[in-house]
Amino acid sequence: MTKPVLFDYYRSSASYRVRIALHLKGVAFERVRVDLVTGAQKSDDYRARNPQGFVPLLEAEGLRLTQSLAIIDFLDARYPEPRLVPADPGERAHVLAMALTIACDIHPLNNLRVLKYLVGPLGQDDAAKTEWIARWIREGFAALEAMAAPRAGAFLFGDAPGLADICLVPQMYNARRFDVPVDDFPTLLRADEAARAHPAFAAAHPDAG
């Protein structure tokens, strides 16, 4: 079987999530760098693959898959072990809610295109950008801490990494990159530490090559 091909950018949170999932599933894959800083994602060639002009894009089994959580859902169905989302409906809803808190409510407000618009057309300075980033990360993390704490184990849900942790680790990486204080979130810190010690998460790290 031909290896899946992941079109990604090393520091993209959404791409980071998919790399983690692929490594957790033990799926060998090839990577194609799409440089977001130079605007390679907007090229006609790339938009022919993904009309949104976003990363990640996974080409697998004759399919072109976009949106990180949709790609991970495909991987969870295609490679059932280890399971990333619980089978129990209530547990599944809980894990999805935590993952979506990050992927839909925190991350989009701090991604590159939003920050570029903030300092470009809207004319905000670096101090305003830093305040913007910290505001939305800390507000989202406060909610996530309250959601996770009652049912967390070593990870955000139980003692094995899952979808919520896949979303958490890249967002914690971003928080540290922008010097956002995270000491108020002990459950998130514990889960992040456990996840980053896992070989699959380490292999997916932006600095791993």
Side-chain angles (χ1 to χ4, degrees):
M1 183 182 295
T2 304
K3 287 183 184 178
V5 178
L6 179 65
F7 292 77
D8 80 334
Y9 182 66
Y10 75 110
R11 218 159 52 189
S12 154
S13 295
S15 297
Y16 192 175
R17 294 173 201 147
V18 173
R19 294 196 304 269
I20 294 168
L22 286 162
H23 285 298
L24 281 169
K25 297 291 187 180
V27 178
F29 63 99
E30 297 178 5
R31 291 175 67 182
V32 175
R33 178 185 172 94
V34 180
D35 194 332
L36 303 186
V37 175
T38 63
Q41 73 277 17
K42 298 177 183 177
S43 70
D44 291 342
D45 180 64
Y46 187 72
R47 283 189 182 271
R49 286 184 161 89
N50 180 358
Q52 279 191 294
F54 294 166
V55 292
L57 163 71
L58 186 71
E59 292 189 345
E61 302 178 16
L63 302 170
R64 286 178 174 167
L65 306 170
T66 63
Q67 291 291 339
S68 63
L69 267 61
I71 294 170
I72 294 169
D73 184 66
F74 167 83
L75 294 172
D76 217 21
R78 183 65 180 82
Y79 308 96
E81 297 297 330
R83 193 176 188 95
L84 302 179
V85 180
D88 175 83
E91 293 178 351
R92 177 182 178 85
H94 175 60
V95 169
L96 285 172
M98 291 191 291
L100 291 168
T101 295
I102 299 167
C104 295
D105 296 337
I106 302 174
H107 170 240
L109 290 168
N110 292 290
N111 70 13
L112 183 62
R113 67 186 185 129
V114 170
L115 297 179
K116 280 186 172 181
Y117 192 79
L118 194 67
V119 300
L122 297 185
Q124 300 299 306
D125 60 17
D126 285 344
K129 182 179 80 169
T130 298
E131 182 180 349
W132 172 275
I133 291 167
R135 159 70 186 270
W136 301 118
I137 290 178
R138 287 183 57 80
E139 182 177 296
F141 275 2
L144 185 62
E145 175 73 22
M147 294 165 69
R151 304 173 73 178
F155 295 90
L156 286 183
F157 181 72
D159 293 320
L163 180 62
D165 307 287
I166 288 171
C167 292
L168 173 68
V169 168
Q171 194 61 59
M172 290 289 278
Y173 171 84
N174 283 342
R176 294 186 178 100
R177 181 174 156 231
F178 293 114
D179 296 319
V180 178
V182 293
D183 292 344
D184 295 340
F185 314 115
T187 306
L188 307 190
L189 286 169
R190 185 177 72 244
D192 177 65
E193 182 178 4
R196 288 188 296 120
H198 191 291
F201 286 79
H205 191 280
D207 296 339

